[in-house]
Amino acid sequence: MPAITSGRVLVTGANGYIAVWIVKSLLDAGFAVRGTVRAESKATYLRKLFQSFGDKLEVVVVPDMTKEDAFAEHVQDVDAIAHTASPFHMNAVEPDEIIGPAVAGTLSVLKAAHVHGAVVKRVIVLSSTAALFRTTTEPVVLDESAWNEQAIAEVKEKGRDASAVAKYRASKTLAERAAWEWYEEKKKAGVLGWDLVVLNPPFVYGPILHECDRPENLNQSMRDWYRLIVEGKIDNDTLVTGGAMYVDVRDIAQAHTLALLKPEAGDNRFIISAGPYKWQDFASAAHRFDDKLPAGVTSYDPSKATHLLQYDNRKAIDVLGITYRSIDEVTNDSLQDFKARGWL
Ligand code: NDP
């Protein structure tokens, strides 16, 4: 596919934490954006936030993305699609409560692009490193060939008794796998006019742009960050041993725009990860920027921390040309944002 440098992009779940930054990145790059939300009440804030872009932003209501033809009329005149809408929570009782909409929503978007997207050139699916993750007792670096078979197996074996995080990880793994299987079959048949890109970020942190009235209503990842780093609701052991990999929300948003601009991105999944962290890394930075925030474990030495599971982020650097914000930038900008909201 040639580079997509102008035109209109459909963004599903446009009111979400990451999606609003994606919309901003696309508008800043000169694209027109059509965002989908589940209810008209979620459109007002978005229209106001981006009012300086005039009619470059349109917000439409898709009440149930899993319904046949849910996106039919909205994909007809778009050059590309970024699919972000997917449940991200730890409240599912039956696994299918979260897996069902994740898989059906993704397939619904791809099918709409195929049947009705006359000028679509590229579809980007926002997956997660949850679709690659595995628990490990040995150091391991996963690249884009990895798949999270563990979460699928746990959910299959334990059903509703599987851990909440396994149900979420299975939802991301199965949705992404369904996307690739459907895509490969159509591609083989030579019936697609567009190509697929999948982006796999780990935990996404950083300032918020979406509508949110109080910290308890933050999205899953920033709610955790706020509770642990701002409220200090974390014990010393978890501060220095607990952690994962992170990426700044503005960088995963930018990755979506870069994925349109780079022709060679097509047919690829990309890990979009800045690097590993222990919670103490964020706590140390937060305390440096605001000494009223908990210092945590002051004897912590980041150079001695072990990160058993890591993700290889080179492919996105090489192909997309992405750059990553540091833990200090994520922390400082998040704290500034919270201060401006009176949450600190
Ligand atoms: P948010 O909860 O802020 O946004 C989720 C979006 O998906 C909202 O627009 C929400 O709509 C929509 N959505 C949820 N369930 C459904 C459904 N059943 N039908 C239609 N729309 C639905 O989450 P994030 O911005 O954090 O996450 C966005 C995407 O990024 C998800 O796919 C998530 O898996 C992925 N991701 C997030 C990471 C993170 O750390 N935040 C890390 C890796 C991947 P509504 O507001 O109406 O509920």
Side-chain angles (χ1 to χ4, degrees):
M1 284 294 150
I4 305 161
T5 54
S6 62
R8 179 174 283 110
V9 184
L10 183 83
V11 179
T12 69
N15 60 314
Y17 167 54
I18 300 173
V20 180
W21 281 106
I22 296 172
V23 171
K24 181 176 184 325
S25 171
L26 291 168
L27 289 170
D28 284 343
F31 291 98
V33 174
R34 176 176 298 142
T36 75
V37 293
R38 284 205 271 189
E40 183 58 31
S41 58
K42 304 187 178 194
T44 316
Y45 169 88
L46 279 179
R47 292 194 185 108
K48 196 159 170 240
L49 181 68
F50 294 117
Q51 65 188 0
S52 62
F53 289 93
D55 60 6
K56 283 258 183 175
L57 175 73
E58 184 193 349
V59 187
V60 298
V61 178
V62 174
D64 181 356
M65 68 176 174
T66 65
K67 279 225 168 98
E68 206 182 327
D69 284 345
F71 293 103
E73 63 175 308
H74 305 306
V75 298
Q76 282 169 16
D77 56 348
V78 298
D79 300 273
I81 299 174
H83 173 53
T84 84
S86 199
F88 184 12
H89 59 74
M90 299 294 144
N91 310 324
V93 178
E94 293 300 334
D96 208 45
E97 283 168 33
I98 186 161
I99 294 171
V103 174
T106 303
L107 288 176
S108 172
V109 169
L110 299 186
K111 286 176 187 170
H114 174 43
V115 178
H116 303 283
V119 294
V120 172
K121 295 166 204 61
R122 178 160 289 170
V123 177
I124 304 172
V125 170
L126 176 54
S127 181
S128 167
T129 52
L132 289 74
F133 177 88
R134 74 171 74 128
T135 54
T136 177
T137 50
E138 298 293 319
V140 60
V141 180
L142 298 181
D143 64 16
E144 283 84 355
S145 63
W147 283 95
N148 188 342
E149 304 295 348
Q150 281 179 350
I152 298 175
E154 182 179 334
V155 165
K156 209 168 162 189
E157 194 188 313
K158 298 186 180 163
R160 62 187 347 235
D161 295 327
S163 63
V165 72
K167 290 173 200 167
Y168 169 69
R169 287 176 181 147
S171 81
K172 297 305 286 182
T173 313
L174 291 168
E176 189 190 333
R177 184 166 276 173
W180 283 117
E181 281 174 3
W182 182 91
Y183 173 73
E184 292 301 342
E185 193 188 307
K186 294 286 180 233
K187 201 177 115 188
K188 213 187 279 168
V191 294
L192 284 181
W194 45 266
D195 61 17
L196 179 65
V197 175
V198 172
L199 302 179
N200 302 78
F203 285 100
V204 179
Y205 302 125
I208 71 164
L209 257 195
H210 66 293
E211 186 169 28
C212 186
D213 56 353
R214 52 180 186 273
E216 305 86 76
N217 291 338
L218 280 164
N219 68 298
Q220 182 74 43
S221 56
M222 280 312 282
R223 194 161 61 235
D224 288 343
W225 198 94
Y226 187 91
R227 197 166 40 83
L228 304 188
I229 300 306
V230 177
E231 298 182 333
K233 291 184 178 156
I234 180 168
D235 59 65
N236 283 352
D237 185 45
T238 312
L239 271 171
V240 295
T241 59
M245 308 282 283
Y246 82 96
V247 69
D248 188 287
V249 66
R250 295 160 291 185
D251 296 338
I252 179 63
Q254 180 66 8
H256 284 74
T257 301
L258 291 170
L260 297 181
L261 300 176
K262 306 285 175 175
E264 60 276 28
D267 278 8
N268 279 291
R269 67 197 305 225
F270 292 96
I271 291 169
I272 309 291
S273 170
Y277 69 89
K278 297 293 179 205
W279 283 111
Q280 183 60 43
D281 292 312
F282 284 114
S284 302
H287 185 70
R288 232 181 315 112
F289 293 121
D290 182 344
D291 61 13
K292 288 190 292 305
L293 291 174
V297 180
T298 48
S299 58
Y300 170 74
D301 178 354
S303 68
K304 299 215 172 84
T306 50
H307 303 280
L308 283 185
L309 178 76
Q310 300 211 42
Y311 299 111
D312 181 346
N313 66 5
R314 276 174 304 183
K315 186 171 161 186
I317 295 171
D318 293 347
V319 180
L320 301 180
I322 191 162
T323 55
Y324 293 109
R325 286 175 172 82
S326 65
I327 284 177
D328 273 9
E329 286 169 287
V330 173
T331 306
N332 193 25
D333 295 349
S334 300
L335 296 180
Q336 295 295 338
D337 178 27
F338 295 157
K339 268 183 195 149
R341 290 166 192 275
W343 296 353
L344 202 69

